[in-house]
């Protein structure tokens, strides 16, 4: 019966120990025959009975041990370890545990089982079984060891009997941890065909004379068809009287993973060599001293690679060309290699020999380490990127160079300036604009305009100092950044240089420039701030009459901020029709000597949300800058015609109204809008006069001229406003379908006391009469001037000398008074 399933019969423990001479009973004989230790203790821990195995374990006989207490049978440490189990069994619960015990200098492992002895629900004692599990534990440990040392096995080979005994069975994966026995024929049958001869040669007497067999690698085919590779070597463990080997003791190692890795490595190396021969890249190696030991050339026969290979093999990389070693790219390579760091895509210039062009190479490499962390060399890859570099240079030129002038464009300049300011945030930025350049384009064509820009760029380049950066910002605007121009000396020199006449074909062109100046770090330490402030200063220079140099000041910044704020509020006003109209009378003296209103000029007025009234010279240019001039003009036109309709209906007035028209509005759609508004108010088109400020743009715009002709065909009158201060010419007066011209206030104000102004006004009146044009003298503010223009023959007058601009209700009251006076 297996000891694990042993069930003891009930054995009554005597109240007192049996005498030593008592004859053994049947139960005692049966217990002594058990292959385990049996003991029976009372509840107080005294031994009542034991078998011979228990007594022999303790080196005594059973009779002498009866009545002994646990304190006598166990040492203090062992008793302390088992005390928790004793409490469990005396509480009526079966217990099982394992303990080790030293016997004759050998550690034995015991499985202990405690079973309570219960009578009438009272524990009277307990039985103890000690089962020796040493063999099982050793087998488990051996199995674990074999599992942990998988791939290594010990074996012995009896050469006379032809039998091999192995600790592991490698022929069957399912029995890999179990011992195995093979005959020589069985062993040879397991080997791969190509390895049998090598194994047999290793077992020949001459191979074993030294006492050590040769190392043999062989493949073993297992029962499931798989193959493992082994490496084996053995010692001669027994010889006969003649010295011939009788037995071998050996070790075999599973090298399947090693062989697989080696095979893959060889395959990988072959693939690598194939790829290297086909690749347009080339691979190189350095030894620990930095000398080139290998450079692979592409099978594509890249002559540049071959030239490099011939020049560098056997030489140290940093001794190839002393001149190259001083370049920053090569210094960076030296630094990273001294630190023994890998690197990627490091771009280096290299010239293989005198007369050869410089090639550009992209290098990547990693250090190779020998044992103990010692640098063994470098392996890397290089790529000829010369074509890519040249293409990048071309793309850079396209992206960052202005094609017309050859200067940096805006993006290129900003890139260079950002770098310069990062190195040293100090210098002066000049923002240059050619005054009235658009008129050259419009009058002479873009070809002439482009040549003018190219010539201007050359003059700017010639006037700059070493280290100054120049760019074409766009259109007719240029940028110059100088490290030292705080006194605007360069700006004034450029202004004078660009004022000299340009001779292009048969044309002699003269232009002036406006220049805005911003200094770093005073006006900003970054590119965005400098450009913004230089632009502000340029705008001020143009506002102040052009042909001047203007430095940025905080006051200008305040103007810009106000302009930005006004633009936002103006957009809202356009959306909400938030403008009002004032009406300024244009009068004629009657035969009774009384000045009466012949027409009103509608003047737009605007107040900000906070109540501030903004003058027209400040807010009227803004819609044009916002691209909203057409919408703004339409709002003013609609409001003016509605007012005219009300004045005529409410007061029986027969006069008309004049409305300013911007050149930006002279588009075909403008005619349709005018027609629609006139129809909506049912007004005679002859009652409407559109006033045009003199502008050369109109003369060179076919669409503008056609639009004016269409407006004239509607029956609307055309008036030339501010005559005398723009681009006055007979062509301008005769080409436009004008019925009226208005002499600018600059001539009418003070004309009575200024003979030069008087001459201009007199000549204008004479020209208008000869052309059949009606004339209005505007800006007449004093009685003396009023009397003078009247004597000169100007019959229509506008100005404060008669009436200022009036609110609509005041204009209506004026008409009512004039009507009442007859």
């Amino acid at each position: 019966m297996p000891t694990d399933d042993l069930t003891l019969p009930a054995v009554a423990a005597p109240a007192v120990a049996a005498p030593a001479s008592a004859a053994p009973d049947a139960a005692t004989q049966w217990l002594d025959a058990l292959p385990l230790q049996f003991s029976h203790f009372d509840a107080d821990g005294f031994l009542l009975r034991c078998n011979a195995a228990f007594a022999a374990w303790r080196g005594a006989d059973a009779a002498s041990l009866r009545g002994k207490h646990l304190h006598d049978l166990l040492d203090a440490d062992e008793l302390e370890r088992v005390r928790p189990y004793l409490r469990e069994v005396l509480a009526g619960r079966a217990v099982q545990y394992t303990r080790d015990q030293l016997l004759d200098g050998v550690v034995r492992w015991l499985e202990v089982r405690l079973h309570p002895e219960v009578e009438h629900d009272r524990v009277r004692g307990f039985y103890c079984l000690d089962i020796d599990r040493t063999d099982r534990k050793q087998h488990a440990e051996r199995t674990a060891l074999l599992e942990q040392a998988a791939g290594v096995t010990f074996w012995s080979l009896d050469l006379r009997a032809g039998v091999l005994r192995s600790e592991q069975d490698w022929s069957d994966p399912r029995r890999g941890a179990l011992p195995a026995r093979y005959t020589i024929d069985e062993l040879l049958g397991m080997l791969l065909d190509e390895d049998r001869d090598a194994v047999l040669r290793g077992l020949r007497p001459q191979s074993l004379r030294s006492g050590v067999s040769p190392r043999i690698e062989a493949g073993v085919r297992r029962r499931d068809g798989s193959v493992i590779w082994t490496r084996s070597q053995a010692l001669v463990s027994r010889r006969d009287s003649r010295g011939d080997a009788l037995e071998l003791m050996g070790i075999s190692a599973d090298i399947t993973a090693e062989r697989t890795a080696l095979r893959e490595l060889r395959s990988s190396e072959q693939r690598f060599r194939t790829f290297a021969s086909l690749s347009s890249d080339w691979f190189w190696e350095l030894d620990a001293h930095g000398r080139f030991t290998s450079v692979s050339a592409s099978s594509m026969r890249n002559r540049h690679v071959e030239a490099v290979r011939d020049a560098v093999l056997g030489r140290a990389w940093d001794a190839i060309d002393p001149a190259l070693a001083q370049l920053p790219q090569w210094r960076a390579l030296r630094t990273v290699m001294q630190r023994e760091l890998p690197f990627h895509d490091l771009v280096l210039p290299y010239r293989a020999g005198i007369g050869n062009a410089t090639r550009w190479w992209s290098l990547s490499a990693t250090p190779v380490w020998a044992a103990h962390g010692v640098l063994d060399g470098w392996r890397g890859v290089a790529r000829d990127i010369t074509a890519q570099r040249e293409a990048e240079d071309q793309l850079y030129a396209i992206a960052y160079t202005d094609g017309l002038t050859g200067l940096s464009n805006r993006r290129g300049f900003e890139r260079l300036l950002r770098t310069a300011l990062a190195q040293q945030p100090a210098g002066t930025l000049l923002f240059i604009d050619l005054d009235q350049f658009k008129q050259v384009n419009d009058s002479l064509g873009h070809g002439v305009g482009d040549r003018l820009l190219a010539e201007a760029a050359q003059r700017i380049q010639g006037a700059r100092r070493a280290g100054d950066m120049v760019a074409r910002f766009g259109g007719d605007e240029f940028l110059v950044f100088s490290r030292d121009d705080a006194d605007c000396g360069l700006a004034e020199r450029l202004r004078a240089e660009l004022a000299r006449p340009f001779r292009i074909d048969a044309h002699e062109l003269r232009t002036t420039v406006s220049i805005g100046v911003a200094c770093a770090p005073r006006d900003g330490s970054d590119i965005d701030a400098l450009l913004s402030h230089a632009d502000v200063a340029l705008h001020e220079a143009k506002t102040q009459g052009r042909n001047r140099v203007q430095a940025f000041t905080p006051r200008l910044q305040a103007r810009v901020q106000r302009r930005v704020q006004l633009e936002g509020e103006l957009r809202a006003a356009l959306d909400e029709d938030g403008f009002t109209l004032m009406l300024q009378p244009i009068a004629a003296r009657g035969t009774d000597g009384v000045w009466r209103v012949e027409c009103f000029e509608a003047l737009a007025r605007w107040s900000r949300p906070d109540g501030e009234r903004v003058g027209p010279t400040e807010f009227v240019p803004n819609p044009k800058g916002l691209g909203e001039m057409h919408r703004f003009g339409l709002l003013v036109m609609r409001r003016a015609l509605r007012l005219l309709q009300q004045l005529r209906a409410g007061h029986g007035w027969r006069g008309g109204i004049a409305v300013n028209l911007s050149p930006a509005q002279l588009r075909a759609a403008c005619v349709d809008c005018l027609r629609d508004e006139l129809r909506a108010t049912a007004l005679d088109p002859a009652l409407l006069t559109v006033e045009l400020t003199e502008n050369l743009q109109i003369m060179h715009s076919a669409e503008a001229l056609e639009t004016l002709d269409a407006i004239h065909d509607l029956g609307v009158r055309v008036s030339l406003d501010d005559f005398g201060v723009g681009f006055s010419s007979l062509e301008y007066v005769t080409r436009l379908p004008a019925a009226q011209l208005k002499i600018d206030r600059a001539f009418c104000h003070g004309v009575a006391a200024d003979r030069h102004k008087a001459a201009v006004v007199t000549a204008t009146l004479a020209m208008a009469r000869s052309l059949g044009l009606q004339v209005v003298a505007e800006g007449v503010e004093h009685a003396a001037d009023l009397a003078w223009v009247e004597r000169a023959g100007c019959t229509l007058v506008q100005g404060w000398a008669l009436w200022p601009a009036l609110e609509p209700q005041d204009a209506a009251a004026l008409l009512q008074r004039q009507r009442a006076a007859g």
Side-chain angles (χ1 to χ4, degrees):
M1 176 183 295
T3 57
D4 289 359
D5 299 327
L6 180 64
T7 302
L8 295 176
V11 179
V16 294
S21 60
D25 54 17
T28 300
Q29 293 176 351
W30 182 82
L31 289 173
D32 286 341
L34 290 175
L36 49 76
Q37 302 175 45
F38 168 79
S39 55
H40 180 197
F41 292 86
D42 65 14
D44 295 324
F46 290 96
L47 180 66
L48 300 177
R49 179 178 298 183
C50 69
N51 67 354
F54 181 87
W57 186 273
R58 285 155 182 79
D61 58 74
S64 64
L65 294 179
R66 290 175 189 150
K68 296 282 188 181
H69 194 271
L70 282 170
H71 292 90
D72 302 321
L73 299 173
L74 303 174
D75 60 34
D77 291 340
E78 188 176 7
L79 182 62
E80 190 64 29
R81 286 198 299 272
V82 304
R83 193 178 301 280
Y85 307 115
L86 294 174
R87 285 196 292 266
E88 287 285 312
V89 72
L90 291 175
R93 293 183 288 272
V95 180
Q96 179 176 324
Y97 64 94
T98 303
R99 67 182 178 88
D100 59 312
Q101 185 168 332
L102 188 65
L103 180 64
D104 297 332
V106 178
V107 176
R108 309 294 293 179
W109 290 88
L110 302 177
E111 181 182 303
V112 182
R113 297 182 182 181
L114 303 179
H115 192 80
E117 179 190 9
V118 182
E119 184 178 355
H120 304 302
D121 296 329
R122 177 173 171 269
V123 178
R124 294 184 56 194
F126 61 91
Y127 304 106
C128 176
L129 298 179
D130 293 326
I131 306 169
D132 190 347
R133 298 297 192 191
T134 303
D135 289 343
R136 178 187 291 182
K137 181 172 179 61
Q138 288 176 346
H139 176 74
E141 290 177 345
R142 177 178 173 277
T143 300
L145 177 62
L146 290 175
E147 291 175 351
Q148 293 174 6
V152 177
T153 189
F154 297 94
W155 50 266
S156 64
L157 174 60
D158 188 334
L159 295 174
R160 182 174 295 177
V163 175
L164 182 143
R165 293 178 177 83
S166 172
E167 282 192 337
Q168 297 182 65
D169 186 352
W170 280 4
S171 68
D172 189 345
R174 296 170 299 177
R175 298 171 51 83
L178 299 177
R181 179 183 180 279
Y182 311 104
T183 66
I184 290 293
D185 290 340
E186 290 173 336
L187 177 63
L188 293 175
M190 294 164 52
L191 298 177
L192 298 181
D193 295 343
E194 61 268 24
D195 295 329
R196 290 194 189 103
D197 289 343
V199 173
L200 289 173
R201 284 195 302 271
L203 297 178
R204 291 173 182 169
Q206 57 266 35
S207 300
L208 300 174
R209 285 198 185 102
S210 66
V212 180
S213 73
R215 181 177 295 180
I216 299 173
E217 294 185 3
V220 178
R221 190 177 303 281
R222 299 193 291 186
R223 293 177 184 175
D224 63 356
S226 62
V227 175
I228 62 171
W229 289 89
T230 63
R231 180 184 293 125
S232 304
Q233 195 168 24
L235 296 173
V236 177
S237 56
R238 277 194 304 119
R239 295 181 183 272
D240 62 13
S241 59
R242 293 178 301 178
D244 293 334
L246 296 176
E247 184 182 66
L248 300 179
M249 180 182 67
I251 298 176
S252 294
D254 184 348
I255 61 169
T256 306
E258 179 182 336
R259 286 288 292 263
T260 301
L262 181 60
R263 184 170 60 250
E264 292 178 351
L265 179 61
R266 288 172 178 169
S267 175
S268 175
E269 181 178 358
Q270 182 60 40
R271 288 197 301 270
F272 169 77
R273 293 186 182 279
T274 302
F275 291 151
S277 66
L278 296 175
S279 174
S280 59
D281 297 344
W282 51 278
F283 304 89
W284 51 269
E285 292 182 340
L286 302 177
D287 61 18
H289 301 290
R291 293 185 294 258
F292 280 95
T293 59
S294 173
V295 176
S296 70
S298 167
S299 63
M300 298 173 70
R301 297 294 179 258
N302 186 325
R303 61 185 180 85
H304 302 297
V305 175
E306 293 178 356
V308 172
R309 182 182 57 184
D310 295 341
V312 304
L313 275 178
R315 301 180 63 186
W317 72 269
D318 55 354
I320 294 173
D321 189 334
L324 291 175
Q326 302 305 313
L327 296 177
Q329 298 94 332
W330 284 71
R331 289 201 299 269
L333 176 62
R334 181 183 301 108
T335 299
V336 79
M337 293 187 72
Q338 287 174 347
R339 296 178 180 177
E340 299 179 353
L341 299 174
F343 54 89
H344 302 278
D345 298 322
L346 185 62
V347 177
L348 298 177
Y350 178 71
R351 187 171 57 253
I354 298 175
N356 291 325
T358 298
R359 309 292 298 180
W360 289 89
W361 304 91
S362 174
L363 270 66
S364 300
T366 184
V368 178
W369 304 100
H372 310 298
V374 177
L375 182 68
D376 194 39
W378 293 78
R379 289 196 186 104
V381 61
R383 176 178 304 166
D384 185 349
I385 61 168
T386 305
Q388 175 184 336
R389 181 85 178 200
E390 292 173 349
E392 289 175 353
D393 290 344
Q394 293 176 359
L395 289 175
Y396 181 92
I398 294 172
Y400 297 112
T401 304
D402 177 58
L404 176 63
T405 64
L407 302 176
S408 295
N409 61 16
R410 176 176 180 174
R411 290 177 58 196
F413 183 81
E414 289 179 350
R415 188 168 180 263
L416 295 173
L417 181 56
R418 188 172 287 109
T419 301
L421 291 176
Q423 295 172 350
Q424 181 184 345
T428 301
L429 179 65
L430 310 182
F431 207 145
I432 304 168
D433 178 79
L434 300 184
D435 297 332
Q436 305 296 348
F437 171 77
K438 191 176 186 309
Q439 296 170 16
V440 175
N441 264 349
D442 293 342
S443 60
L444 301 177
H446 289 279
V448 173
D450 288 348
R451 292 175 63 184
L452 174 61
L453 290 174
E455 176 65 26
Q458 291 182 11
R459 293 190 186 185
I460 294 174
Q461 279 277 59
R464 73 182 183 92
R465 292 169 291 196
D468 292 348
M469 294 186 295
V470 181
R472 182 185 176 200
F473 189 74
D476 61 340
E477 295 177 330
F478 296 87
L479 293 170
V480 177
F481 180 76
S482 175
R483 284 296 186 189
D484 183 22
D485 193 43
D487 59 352
C488 296
L490 175 61
E492 291 294 350
R493 190 162 64 254
L494 285 172
R495 191 169 70 89
E497 184 68 20
L498 293 171
R500 292 191 297 107
F502 293 87
R503 189 169 297 280
I504 299 175
D505 293 337
H507 305 286
E508 182 176 280
L509 305 177
R510 295 179 180 271
T511 182
T512 59
V513 293
S514 299
I515 302 177
V517 181
C519 297
R522 183 191 67 197
D523 302 327
S525 56
D526 62 80
I527 185 170
D528 293 331
L530 284 176
L531 279 173
S532 174
H533 293 162
D535 186 33
V536 168
L538 174 61
H539 183 270
E540 178 68 9
K542 288 159 46 174
T543 302
Q544 295 299 321
R546 299 183 174 87
N547 191 23
R548 56 184 291 135
V549 176
Q550 176 66 56
F552 173 81
T553 65
R555 179 177 59 84
L556 296 182
Q557 181 64 27
R559 289 187 188 176
V560 172
Q561 292 174 349
R562 176 176 172 83
R563 185 172 70 244
V564 171
Q565 188 173 8
L566 289 179
E567 286 177 355
E569 294 174 358
L570 275 168
R571 286 188 185 277
L574 286 168
D575 293 337
E576 300 167 5
D577 192 9
F579 298 94
T580 60
L581 289 186
M582 300 284 284
L583 300 176
Q584 185 165 31
I586 298 174
R589 186 190 289 272
T591 55
D592 57 359
V594 178
W595 289 93
R596 288 184 175 84
V597 179
E598 294 288 323
C599 180
F600 284 107
E601 181 182 1
L603 303 174
R605 296 293 183 262
W606 175 59
S607 295
R608 299 177 63 189
D610 61 2
E612 177 192 357
R613 171 162 286 191
V614 182
T617 56
E618 185 175 12
F619 83 79
V620 169
N622 278 283
K624 181 178 180 181
L626 296 172
E628 297 280 7
M629 199 63 198
H630 180 71
R631 186 155 67 112
F632 173 70
L634 181 59
L635 290 174
V636 174
M637 181 67 70
R638 179 176 298 145
R639 183 74 62 81
L641 291 176
R642 297 294 187 276
L643 283 177
L644 177 60
Q645 184 184 41
Q646 294 170 12
L647 292 175
R648 290 177 64 84
H651 303 282
W653 186 54
R654 296 293 177 261
I657 196 163
V659 180
N660 286 280
L661 198 65
S662 167
Q665 295 175 258
L666 293 178
R667 298 177 299 181
C670 173
V671 180
D672 295 333
C673 292
L674 277 177
R675 184 183 293 111
D676 292 342
E677 294 301 325
L678 288 169
R679 286 175 179 173
T681 54
L683 291 173
D684 182 357
L687 296 174
L688 174 63
T689 300
V690 293
E691 296 187 357
L692 291 175
T693 300
E694 288 184 76
N695 193 301
L696 192 59
Q697 175 184 350
I698 298 174
M699 289 297 298
H700 297 283
S701 171
E703 183 182 16
L705 293 173
E706 291 174 1
T707 301
L708 281 173
D709 288 338
I711 290 173
H712 178 266
D713 292 342
L714 284 178
V716 176
R717 289 160 50 85
V718 176
S719 175
L720 302 182
D721 195 13
D722 301 331
F723 189 83
V725 295
F727 298 90
S728 303
S729 68
L730 291 178
E731 181 187 11
Y732 185 81
V733 176
T734 57
R735 175 64 184 84
L736 301 183
Q740 180 187 87
L741 62 83
K742 298 179 73 173
I743 302 174
D744 189 76
R745 66 182 63 250
F747 298 103
C748 295
H749 179 69
V751 65
D754 190 322
R755 63 185 181 87
H756 298 291
K757 291 181 179 181
V760 171
V761 173
T762 300
T764 303
L765 289 170
M767 179 192 67
R769 280 194 295 269
S770 66
L771 295 174
L773 298 177
Q774 190 181 53
V775 179
V776 178
E778 62 177 343
V780 179
E781 299 183 359
H782 303 291
D785 295 332
L786 176 60
W788 189 94
V789 297
E790 186 180 5
R791 288 196 303 271
C794 185
T795 59
L796 294 174
V797 176
Q798 180 181 15
W800 283 63
L802 295 174
W803 298 281
L806 304 172
E807 296 285 351
Q809 62 271 21
D810 295 332
L814 172 61
L815 293 178
Q816 188 173 0
R817 289 196 301 272
Q818 289 191 348
R819 183 178 182 184

